[in-house]
Amino acid sequence: DLAILSMSEHVIITTGSFGWWGAWLANGTTIYYSDWPRNNSTLSKGFVKEDYFMPHW
C-alpha cells in the first residue's frame, strides 16, 4: 500500500503514522486536518505542529 501511495501526486491523510509516511513518500501535495490536536486538549500539551507536519504540506 505504501508503494502505491509513494507514486501518488496528491495525498489526503489522517493523523496516523501510515498516512504520514504515505504523504512523505509521495512528496507531492498533501491535505490534512490542520486543527489537530484541538487546542487545550491533553494531546496538545507539548505538541509542536512543525515537528509532525512537513512545512510544504
Side-chain angles (χ1 to χ4, degrees), residues 1-11 18-29:
D1 293 335
L2 281 175
I4 293 170
L5 279 174
S6 71
M7 294 184 284
S8 301
E9 292 180 18
H10 312 291
V11 181
F18 183 83
W20 189 96
W21 278 107
W24 188 80
L25 290 169
N27 200 27
T29 303

Side-chain angles (χ1 to χ4, degrees), residues 7-57:
M7 294 184 284
S8 301
E9 292 180 18
H10 312 291
V11 181
I12 300 171
I13 66 170
T14 62
T15 57
S17 61
F18 183 83
W20 189 96
W21 278 107
W24 188 80
L25 290 169
N27 200 27
T29 303
T30 300
I31 299 171
Y32 64 92
Y33 181 61
S34 64
D35 197 27
W36 181 87
R38 188 178 55 196
N39 289 335
N40 300 322
S41 69
T42 49
L43 288 175
S44 69
K45 292 174 178 49
F47 182 81
V48 179
K49 255 184 201 187
E50 292 77 21
D51 289 345
Y52 187 78
F53 298 109
M54 302 299 276
H56 62 279
W57 290 355

